Amino acid sequence: MAVSNQRKKILVFRELPPDQLARLQAQHDVTVANPRLAGQLPAFETSLATAEGLIGSSYPVDKALLARAPQLKVISSVSVGVDNYDLKALAARNIMLCHTPGVLTETTADTVFSLVMATSRRIVELANHVREGRWTRNIGEDLFGTDVHGKTLGILGFGRIGQALARRAALGFGMPVLYHSRRPVDLTRQAPELAGKAAHTPLDELLARADIVAAVLPLSDETRNLMGRREFGLMKPGAIFINGGRGATVQESALLEALEQGRLRAAGLDVFATEPLPLTSRLRTHPKVTALPHIGSATVETRHAMAVLATTNLLQALEGELPEAVFDLPA
Ligand code: DGY
C-alpha cells in the first residue's frame, strides 16, 4: 500500500465513540456519514468518492460500492465477522480488510450462554408470567424448565468464541461438550483446560447426541444454510437450538417447522437471516423462541474495546504499518 505523510480522507460509516473519533481526527480528515440514515446518504456517497480509509460495521460493502470508492486502500470493520464484505472484490482491488477478533470473545460467549440458560429455564417466558399478573398460584409442571448442568452441549464452530462457550459449559456447569469444526483443535496445546472435556464430533453425530446445540459459526459458502430440515430432523426430540453466530447459517423455515412439530423444545436466537428481524417474521413472536437483537458483543466495555482496536487498525494501515488484526483475503 502506498504511504505518504499527508492527512488522508477517512469515512466513518457507523458512529464511533468520541475518544476514538478524536484519534482519527488528530491525524486525518474525517467525515462521519451513516448510510443507513437517509439524511446522511448524500454525504456518505460524496465522501466515498475520495476516501482512502473506511471504518464502521453492519453495512454491505459490495462490488458496486467499491466501484464508487476509487481511492480506497483499507477498510477497518468494527466487527469480527466479515460477511458484509465482498472478499473477492477487495482482494481484486488489493484493499486491506481489518477486523476485531479477540476483544469480543468472552462477551459473545456470555451472550450465547445466557440464551442456553434462558431457553432451558424458560426465563423470559416466566418473567413475563409474573409481569403480566399470571402468578396467582404455584407454577405446575407445565411451566417447568429443563436442567442445564450436566446436559450435553454441541457447539457448531470451535474458534475463539466456541472455545469460550465450551469453558463456561464444561468448567462451570459440568456439561460434556461435543464440537464440530473443519479440523479438530489440538486442545492439549491450545486450550489445555478443555482437554478431555470437549470432543471433535461429526456433525450428524453431534446433532443426534446433544441436548443443546449452539451455533457460533461465521457465515461463508461452507456454512450458509448449514442447519436445514435434515439437520433439525437429526436433533434429539426435545433438544434446544441456539444461534449466536450468523443468521444465514440456519434455514429459518426449517427451524420454525421443527419448533412447530414439537420436535425442538425451544430456540434462542441472537442473529437472523435478515436484521433487524422483519416485523412479519414468525420467529419474532413464536412462544418457543427467545429472540435478541444481535447483542453478542453489545456491552459498554466490549463495544468500546472493538472501537479502539478498529481505530488502531485503521491508523496503522494508513501509516503503512501492519495492523494488529488484518483479515486474510482469498488469494
Ligand atoms: C461481530 O463482531 O461480528 C458481531 O457479530 C457484531 O456484528
Side-chain angles (χ1 to χ4, degrees):
M1 192 168 69
V3 187
S4 82
N5 293 326
Q6 288 168 352
R7 290 172 74 84
K8 311 249 168 51
K9 292 195 180 350
I10 292 177
L11 170 55
V12 178
F13 64 95
R14 184 166 182 171
E15 295 71 14
L16 280 174
D19 59 339
Q20 299 312 303
L21 189 60
R23 285 177 69 201
L24 296 177
Q25 286 166 331
Q27 293 186 47
H28 298 288
D29 296 333
V30 179
T31 301
V32 181
N34 183 342
R36 290 168 220 78
L37 306 176
Q40 296 186 21
L41 198 52
F44 173 83
E45 288 296 335
T46 305
S47 174
L48 191 61
T50 55
E52 287 182 59
L54 294 187
I55 181 166
S57 68
S58 311
Y59 193 71
V61 175
D62 57 13
K63 224 178 187 162
L65 185 145
L66 292 175
R68 304 196 300 279
Q71 309 296 327
L72 193 60
K73 308 280 188 307
V74 54
I75 302 178
S76 183
S77 188
V78 194
S79 67
V80 65
V82 293
D83 44 291
N84 271 319
Y85 304 92
D86 182 333
L87 302 181
K88 286 193 185 127
L90 289 176
R93 281 266 310 271
N94 208 15
I95 294 171
M96 182 186 278
L97 178 63
C98 304
H99 65 147
T100 61
V103 291
L104 47 66
T105 301
E106 299 299 329
T107 299
T108 307
D110 285 349
T111 305
V112 176
F113 206 80
S114 77
L115 282 172
V116 171
M117 298 290 291
T119 48
S120 302
R121 299 301 307 273
R122 304 171 69 166
I123 297 295
V124 177
E125 180 187 351
L126 292 173
N128 284 337
H129 190 74
V130 178
R131 182 183 292 261
E132 290 160 11
R134 288 184 281 125
W135 186 27
T136 51
R137 58 187 172 84
N138 287 347
I139 67 157
E141 204 168 331
D142 57 323
L143 290 178
F144 288 176
T146 50
D147 280 336
V148 174
H149 66 272
K151 290 292 169 70
T152 298
L153 177 66
I155 302 179
L156 307 182
F158 210 57
R160 291 181 182 86
I161 296 169
Q163 291 175 34
L165 183 60
R167 281 196 296 277
R168 282 156 180 73
L171 309 181
F173 286 75
M175 301 170 81
V177 172
L178 311 174
Y179 71 91
H180 178 69
S181 60
R182 264 178 301 186
R183 282 175 290 280
V185 175
D186 181 353
L187 291 175
T188 312
R189 278 189 45 227
Q190 289 183 36
E193 69 283 11
L194 288 175
K197 295 190 160 64
H200 186 251
T201 309
L203 178 63
D204 290 6
E205 185 187 333
L206 179 153
L207 296 172
R209 287 175 53 197
D211 299 299
I212 301 158
V213 173
V216 286
L217 293 160
L219 183 61
S220 66
D221 291 346
E222 228 175 309
T223 62
R224 188 178 296 278
N225 292 328
L226 181 86
M227 286 299 296
R229 186 185 244 181
R230 187 191 80 87
E231 289 71 25
F232 286 116
L234 289 172
M235 285 176 66
K236 266 189 181 176
I240 290 174
F241 180 74
I242 307 292
N243 194 3
R246 283 295 183 263
T249 61
V250 172
Q251 289 173 34
E252 292 178 342
S253 55
L255 172 59
L256 273 163
E257 188 182 88
L259 288 165
E260 267 153 29
Q261 286 173 350
R263 191 167 178 82
L264 295 189
R265 181 180 305 278
L269 308 172
D270 186 40
V271 290
F272 300 88
T274 303
E275 295 178 2
L277 185 60
L279 292 180
T280 51
S281 171
R282 276 155 61 216
L283 291 172
R284 190 173 66 84
T285 50
H286 197 287
K288 291 184 176 173
V289 174
T290 302
L292 297 177
H294 198 146
I295 60 162
S297 61
T299 63
V300 174
E301 300 89 337
T302 293
R303 283 293 167 86
H304 191 261
M306 290 166 71
V308 171
L309 177 53
T311 303
T312 303
N313 283 336
L314 182 58
L315 289 173
Q316 287 173 328
L318 292 174
E319 280 300 311
E321 294 164 13
L322 184 65
E324 269 178 54
V326 180
F327 185 84
D328 279 337
L329 292 172

